[in-house]
Amino acid sequence: MTIAPTVSALVSARSGDLFQLLLDGAPRTRAELAVLTGLARSTIAARVDALMASGFVSAVGEGASSGGRPPSRFAFNPTARVVLGVDLGASHSVIAVTDLAGSVLASLRAEIAIDEGPEPVLDLVIDRARHLLSSLGEGTTQLCGVGVGLPGPVEHTTGRPANPPIMPGWHDFDVPGYVRHAFDVPVLVDNDVNIMALGEQRTHWPNYDNLLFIKAATGIGAGIISNGQLQRGAMGSAGDLGHIRVARGSHVICRCGNIGCLEALAGGPAIAATLTAGGAEMRTGDLIALVERGNPDAVAAIRQAGRDLGEVLATCVSLLNPSVIVLGGSLAAAGDHLLAGVREVVYNRSLPLATAHLTIARSRSADDAGILGASMLVVQHVLSADAIETALALQA
Ligand SMILES: [Zn+2]
């Protein structure tokens, strides 16, 4: 996984800025760093020493000698700290420990009931996370941050859920504050679709700076990465596509009270309901199983859901001009039928310039996108120039 720096070659004198140059993982000598930054060799030497002492940078062999002793080379050390990534769903959670490059060192799944409220759910997560960390032999001193994805809207600046529909008791709860009582490190919280977008992009599409990640499950939402940055909007609700009206839905009333919402037509329960009119209740998992067995009604229903989703995505393509749209979530597990419906409408309805280089694909990270994104949220924060400066000041 790449953590590409966004700084230009010339940086200020701080160690944190110098460190951004090393985040690409390439080993460099002090002389090479001096050329890249325009800083004096003696300044570079002092900064490198401070970064080495923190563990964030380590020696990795020697550069080419120009006669005499070959110079040492240094690189970003992704094993310097560990990160806790937590992905909470309605009824399940995934908890993982990763290194600073997003490699999963250990993970576990645990059943939860998000509607029991924040304290019982977070207590369970904290307890399991402690076991996971101790199973690795890593004390919490090595832990540098916790990232949490929640299945509902989150005010990103505070990490507090904002009227999450399926999370009674969570509204405005101080999730970071509660978790920090257990782990005294930065705690970053975001909604699950945003972190899935981040995890998918950093892991599988690092060269695609404009990516739209769609989670199609019970609800439908998008994580938007534009110019390499997650876009949350003014209040964190950017990408909430589920309640956009689609043409076919003039007769359908959504749970939100409006008519013709995308989610009321193309969400998992909505599709399942069309197949079970008068019959037994069907869950999204049953629907996927029917599609996998080639049931023609189920295949047709998923394909139509893809077209409905495509109608909304055609508008998104005009607005955002992404280079890749990634379909994830439980409905994406229905294979190529959803994808085919989406492609049919998006390529038909968008202007050629917007689709000339547009890829529409299924998620490659599948179940791991959430924990990888939660981990990357923390990594971006703790490895920023300012955070590194603070860490070095504390160790000095
Ligand atoms: Zn609605």
Side-chain angles (χ1 to χ4, degrees), residues 50-95:
L51 289 167
M52 294 266 285
S54 73
F56 285 115
V57 164
S58 56
V60 286
E62 295 168 338
S65 168
S66 55
R69 197 165 60 91
S72 303
R73 302 168 86 202
F74 307 94
F76 166 49
N77 171 23
T79 64
R81 303 285 189 277
V82 297
V83 176
L84 202 54
V86 177
D87 181 22
L88 299 184
S91 59
H92 69 276
S93 64
V94 187
I95 303 165

Side-chain angles (χ1 to χ4, degrees), residues 242-244 253-264:
H243 301 278
I244 293 176
I253 298 173
C254 178
R255 64 183 166 87
C256 76
N258 283 328
I259 291 171
C261 295
L262 175 63
E263 192 169 300

